[in-house]
Each structure stands twice: as structure tokens, then as C-alpha cells.
Amino acid sequence: MILGGLIALLGGKGNAPDFTVLDMAGKERKLSEFIGKPIILNFWASWCGPCQMEMPDFDDAYQQYGSEIHFLMVNCTTSSRETMEKAKKLIADKGFTFPVYFDTTGYASGTYGAYSIPLTFFIDADGYLEAYAQGAIDRETLQIGIDRIYTP
């Protein structure tokens, strides 16, 4: 079931704006550090039902493509409703293996317009935005996005 559809960016490719988030160890990481491989950038929160619904498909894709594609699963950690502890607990409880990052300032989510989540961007190895999907996506739609940014 596709709840969100993949949307190709119109008007040509644009550079993916840079931002800084924290990794699970609390170290600052910039999006630009990951350029060189395709990137799947997903904004989510632990309280978001649609986010939780798509996470198993993202984890499966990470297990399949994690050595060829960077997965940046960015938690929108900007309020008392969402904390690093709540997000880490969800990831641990569900046994997800994809890398999780924390947007504690709201800059990353604001830069990408993640005012409604989940929101996923597909960025090619050169750092250009190729497509995005607003809302929860299924494995088939995720694969369409992967195919836009990655060729084995």
C-alpha cells in the first residue's frame, strides 16, 4: 500500500543543502560528509505512526544497500514530545539497524521543509536532490527512489 508517492524534483536537479545533526554517540555530523555515495535522507519521530509504519522497509533496504548507500534517518528531536531517549528506545525496542541522527536544533528539518513527517529525500552521489516522498512510503516506492540514485 502506497501512502506517500515518490515525486521527481522538477526544474532540474538542485544541490542538497548542508546541515549538521548529532549521531548516536552525540558527535556532530554534516550531510556533506556523506557525499560520494547516494544518500537516503528520512525525517521521522518516534510518536509518528506513519514513520513507524515505514521503518521496517527502510531497515530492510539498509541491510540490503547499506554498504552502497548512506541512510540518514534523522529524528526531529526539537521538543519535549520527542527526545533522543524516546527515539533511541524505539530503535532499540524494534531492533532497527539503520543509522540514526538527531536534529536537536530543528535546522535540518527546517531546511528541508520537514513540517509534516515522514519526509524522505533521495540524493545522488554528487549531492544533487533527485526525488522526494512526502508521507509514509512502502518498500516498492522506496525501491523506486533507490533506483533513481543508485545503479549497481
Side-chain angles (χ1 to χ4, degrees):
M1 172 173 50
I2 298 174
L3 299 179
L6 189 67
I7 302 168
L9 296 175
L10 303 175
K13 294 190 217 182
N15 284 324
D18 206 6
F19 58 78
T20 302
V21 291
L22 301 177
D23 67 14
M24 290 283 272
K27 179 183 175 190
E28 288 189 352
R29 302 296 303 265
K30 292 182 175 293
L31 174 70
S32 56
E33 295 173 37
F34 298 96
I35 303 300
K37 286 185 183 179
I39 299 167
I40 295 174
L41 172 62
N42 176 266
F43 291 95
W44 65 280
S46 63
W47 49 262
C48 169
C51 299
Q52 289 187 39
M53 189 171 64
E54 69 179 5
M55 284 180 162
D57 291 328
F58 278 86
D59 199 58
D60 289 346
Y62 172 70
Q63 290 178 29
Q64 182 177 354
Y65 295 105
S67 62
E68 293 92 19
I69 298 173
H70 291 296
F71 283 72
L72 275 70
M73 304 296 287
V74 177
N75 179 263
C76 300
T77 322
T78 56
S79 70
S80 60
R81 187 175 184 191
E82 186 66 58
T83 64
M84 290 174 71
E85 292 75 24
K86 288 177 184 177
K88 287 179 178 181
K89 182 176 180 347
L90 173 74
I91 296 303
D93 288 351
K94 300 287 185 178
F96 295 132
T97 59
F98 48 65
V100 175
Y101 301 89
F102 302 95
D103 180 18
T104 58
T105 66
Y107 182 78
S109 53
T111 298
Y112 281 80
Y115 305 111
S116 176
I117 53 175
L119 178 62
T120 306
F121 290 88
F122 298 88
I123 303 167
D124 72 15
D126 296 321
Y128 292 103
L129 294 166
E130 287 287 340
Y132 72 97
Q134 177 68 58
I137 57 176
D138 62 9
R139 183 65 170 96
E140 180 182 338
T141 305
L142 179 57
Q143 188 63 51
I144 292 168
I146 289 169
D147 292 344
R148 289 189 62 89
I149 60 172
Y150 173 71
T151 304

